[in-house]
Amino acid sequence: MYHIFISHAWDYNNHYNTLVQWINDDGYLKHRWSNYSVPMEKPIDTNKKIKLKQRLTNKIALSNVVIILAGMYAVYSEWIDYEIDEAVRMGKYIIGVRPWGQERIPVKIQDNASIMVGWNSASVTNAIKQS
């Protein structure tokens, strides 16, 4: 089983949905993964920052793969930054995914990713299988 946490910005929820679809469409991964992400449709129910951090940490701890969308918006996201720090602290396998057509990648993601892949289903699913 692959226990996956997908770090993403809700403003770019379509990227998250595409990644989930690619994993679900892969014949091998389809029934061999659990999603520990926090999608926009299932937010963590808390208004306290410390509680949110604890719940994110718990989700990352249960994961063996962390996928980070490497959009430049990640530079400005406190939560993506926190999720990267936690994944690194826990020694998680980090897959950085370069969104389609993007030339620049946030340095923090590039420096901490176990592997960087392009924006296509085969690259993402193969990186998960190699984790």
Side-chain angles (χ1 to χ4, degrees), residues 4 16-17 21 27 40 44 48 58 66 69 75 77 87 90-93 99 103-105 107 112 114 120 130:
I4 301 173
Y16 167 81
N17 291 332
Q21 189 63 50
M40 195 163 65
I44 293 175
K48 297 194 188 260
N58 291 344
V66 174
L69 291 162
V75 172
S77 173
M90 293 181 210
K92 301 298 179 175
Y93 187 82
E103 295 179 20
R104 294 177 36 217
I105 298 164
V107 173
N112 289 293
S114 307
N120 66 69
Q130 293 172 7

Side-chain angles (χ1 to χ4, degrees), residues 34-96:
S34 298
N35 189 348
Y36 288 93
S37 309
V38 183
M40 195 163 65
E41 301 80 34
K42 294 182 181 177
I44 293 175
D45 185 26
T46 184
N47 58 359
K48 297 194 188 260
K49 197 179 228 182
I50 191 72
K51 287 283 189 193
L52 181 54
K53 284 184 174 184
Q54 288 171 343
R55 291 190 181 155
L56 288 170
T57 295
N58 291 344
K59 286 179 167 289
I60 294 167
L62 293 170
S63 304
N64 54 350
V65 176
V66 174
I67 299 175
I68 302 170
L69 291 162
M72 287 309 293
Y73 53 80
V75 172
Y76 308 103
S77 173
E78 172 186 359
W79 297 111
I80 292 173
D81 192 58
Y82 177 79
E83 292 160 356
I84 293 168
D85 289 344
E86 286 298 274
V88 168
R89 182 181 68 78
M90 293 181 210
K92 301 298 179 175
Y93 187 82
I94 300 172
I95 300 170

Side-chain angles (χ1 to χ4, degrees), residues 8-25:
H8 64 289
W10 284 358
D11 288 344
Y12 297 88
N13 201 44
N14 57 329
H15 291 164
Y16 167 81
N17 291 332
T18 298
L19 286 173
V20 169
Q21 189 63 50
W22 286 346
I23 298 167
N24 285 331
D25 286 347

